[in-house]
Amino acid sequence: MMKEHAKLMKVISSAGEIIGRKKLQKMIYIAKKVNLPFYEKYNFHFYGPYSEELTLRIEELCNLGFIHEVHEKKGGYFQYRYSLTDNGSEFLGHYDLDMPPLKDCILDLNEQSSRFLELVSTVLYFEGLAQEEVKEKVFTLKSKQRYTEEEVLEAYNYIEKIRGLVEEEPADQ
């Protein structure tokens, strides 16, 4: 049971801090889709792929004192910040986690905006479809986000970049 939890802790440890629940959801989904070993089940939700399983795991890690969640008011909405606690770092240091290197991938994902990660994860969710069909899905399902054709192309290019990062990442990280 703790193996999947430890993987999430490794992601947060690699990122340092992740700001936003949506960003965290999309980062794990994208990592899963580029063949990093994450097994949370995702369904398509209002903001794109969403995993209730992931939400529960994060909540459990917070309750165990391994992840620090800061809930702060930002303008007209609430924002969440996630970081590993000292207890989480200690636990992760003793946990034998067999996982491919992911730091470069996670750092790159963490630098992207939640809006862009929402687009990338939506494109990946429909990746079995032709590019024109994916664009139609994005423009229909995400009409409020007003994504442009250029942004969709940028998402495809980013997917290739992140897949390359995962393939090339040195094993000693």
Side-chain angles (χ1 to χ4, degrees):
M1 173 191 137
M2 287 306 285
K3 185 177 180 184
E4 298 306 314
H5 291 74
K7 289 178 187 177
L8 295 175
M9 292 168 62
K10 177 80 174 164
V11 166
I12 292 171
S13 172
S14 295
E17 179 181 59
I18 297 175
I19 301 172
R21 285 181 166 173
K22 182 166 75 172
K23 180 179 256 189
L24 178 60
Q25 283 275 338
K26 304 317 174 208
M27 287 173 67
I28 300 299
Y29 182 76
I30 294 166
K32 176 181 174 176
K33 293 297 281 183
V34 298
N35 295 324
L36 289 173
F38 293 97
Y39 303 105
E40 285 77 10
K41 292 177 188 155
Y42 277 82
N43 292 310
F44 201 80
H45 204 259
F46 186 70
Y47 296 110
Y50 169 79
S51 172
E52 191 173 324
E53 208 175 343
L54 175 62
T55 297
L56 291 173
R57 282 199 180 112
I58 294 296
E59 193 176 304
E60 289 168 351
L61 288 167
C62 290
N63 291 338
L64 289 168
F66 291 159
I67 291 181
H68 185 59
E69 180 187 71
V70 175
H71 182 215
E72 60 192 14
K73 190 163 183 154
K74 178 113 180 168
Y77 65 96
F78 285 97
Q79 179 173 277
Y80 294 83
R81 293 176 177 264
Y82 297 96
S83 59
L84 209 58
T85 64
D86 290 341
N87 285 342
S89 292
E90 188 178 330
F91 174 84
L92 197 56
H94 295 296
Y95 197 88
D96 187 20
L97 187 60
D98 182 25
M99 206 166 167
L102 50 70
K103 190 168 186 168
D104 290 346
C105 172
I106 296 302
L107 287 174
D108 201 296
L109 287 168
N110 201 27
E111 288 174 2
Q112 307 304 315
S113 71
S114 293
R115 182 181 183 275
F116 183 65
L117 293 179
E118 181 180 341
L119 173 61
V120 170
S121 62
T122 299
V123 168
L124 281 168
Y125 192 83
F126 295 110
E127 75 176 336
L129 301 175
Q131 194 167 338
E132 284 304 314
E133 291 174 290
V134 172
K135 273 195 239 175
E136 194 176 306
K137 291 273 188 196
V138 167
F139 296 148
T140 303
L141 297 171
K142 303 278 165 203
S143 60
K144 287 185 179 178
Q145 291 283 16
R146 299 176 185 251
Y147 291 116
T148 64
E149 295 224 5
E150 291 76 25
E151 287 175 306
V152 174
L153 271 176
E154 189 182 338
Y156 274 104
N157 291 334
Y158 184 73
I159 291 166
E160 290 307 311
K161 175 188 169 190
I162 210 75
R163 282 191 166 129
L165 276 178
V166 169
E167 289 170 11
E168 295 168 8
E169 189 150 0
D172 61 343
Q173 291 186 15

